[in-house]
Amino acid sequence: MTQPTAKAFLALWNSISSPNLRTEYETWHSFEHVPERVGLPGFIEARRYRSINNPVDYFTCYWLTSLEALATPGYRDVFTRPTPWSARMRGELRNFFRMPCELGGAYGNSSATQLVTLHLRSASDTTGGHLDSLLQQMVDRAGLVCAHWGPAQPSDDFPIANSTAISNAANVQEQAQGQDYVVMLQHLDWNTLRGSTQTLMQSLSPLTTPATAPAYFELLTQVRQDELAGPLTTRQPARPELLKNFSSGDKP
């Protein structure tokens, strides 16, 4: 089955309340929550990542046919009527921050397991052109396996508000006129990825300001819509048989 072409993505960072919740969170997120989202109209696939520096920090990227995927009745249904497990886990999320983005550029013919995410802000109209040129050069020279970027299109139409350190940094940046960007860089070698990230940040410094420090993650799982079981005309099923394994909450 041919995958549709992604023209947008939803970047989502979050932490969880306790390391002792990690097993339950990763089971819920892998087997119920992300497949539920990916099964919706306009979703293509999702990739889940965990921070290499902090085991309770995560990043998820949902690839979309367009940002209209975030405005469908099906998407509204899953976040206004969460499953019992999702309602339970929602209260354990920390540092939640989401950025819907148009896809500005994509480079590279494959992907890698090491990822760095950048949240940048710029008032220059030339930022996109500079990103295109710099990222294409880095991929051509094997400094990156692949790279993606996009201008953020913030939306308040979501029941979980962006929160804590990331949003506080973003609010400071909002005092100046400008555009937010998300940049995602991948490589198979951490040292090369760090070096390429530093080079990119230095090259962009006349045009952009980092809203947060670069964040480094490793790939955990990938879910594709065309590999989900069952009809995609209905909501993907909840997983109560897995939830019952965590009835104690697995907390301190």
Side-chain angles (χ1 to χ4, degrees), residues 17-70:
S17 60
S18 166
N20 293 330
L21 198 68
R22 178 169 154 179
T23 298
E24 180 178 2
Y25 171 80
E26 293 192 0
T27 303
W28 163 73
H29 209 238
S30 300
F31 290 93
E32 182 184 278
H33 183 75
V34 172
E36 178 187 65
R37 264 54 177 176
V38 174
L40 296 171
F43 282 67
I44 300 172
E45 69 174 58
R47 292 192 175 198
R48 303 177 53 255
Y49 300 83
R50 183 170 58 222
S51 169
I52 66 168
N53 298 313
N54 190 333
V56 299
D57 290 344
Y58 295 88
F59 174 74
T60 308
C61 182
Y62 292 97
W63 292 100
L64 313 170
T65 55
S66 75
L67 289 180
E68 293 302 313
L70 304 178

Side-chain angles (χ1 to χ4, degrees), residues 171-225:
N171 288 338
V172 171
Q173 294 297 325
E174 285 175 1
Q175 295 177 5
Q177 183 179 2
Q179 169 69 53
D180 283 332
Y181 296 89
V182 173
V183 183
M184 297 177 288
L185 313 175
Q186 296 181 37
H187 205 279
L188 48 87
D189 176 76
W190 283 120
N191 290 331
T192 302
L193 183 56
R194 287 189 177 95
S196 293
T197 299
Q198 292 174 358
T199 299
L200 180 66
M201 296 291 286
Q202 290 171 358
S203 298
L204 291 173
S205 60
L207 300 175
T208 66
T209 302
T212 58
Y216 290 82
F217 300 90
E218 60 183 353
L219 180 67
L220 294 179
T221 60
Q222 178 180 1
V223 181
R224 289 163 45 112
Q225 189 181 90

Side-chain angles (χ1 to χ4, degrees), residues 233-248:
T233 55
T234 59
R235 185 169 173 173
Q236 290 288 297
R239 302 299 302 272
E241 77 282 9
L242 298 178
L243 168 59
K244 69 180 182 181
N245 296 328
F246 301 98
S247 59
S248 67

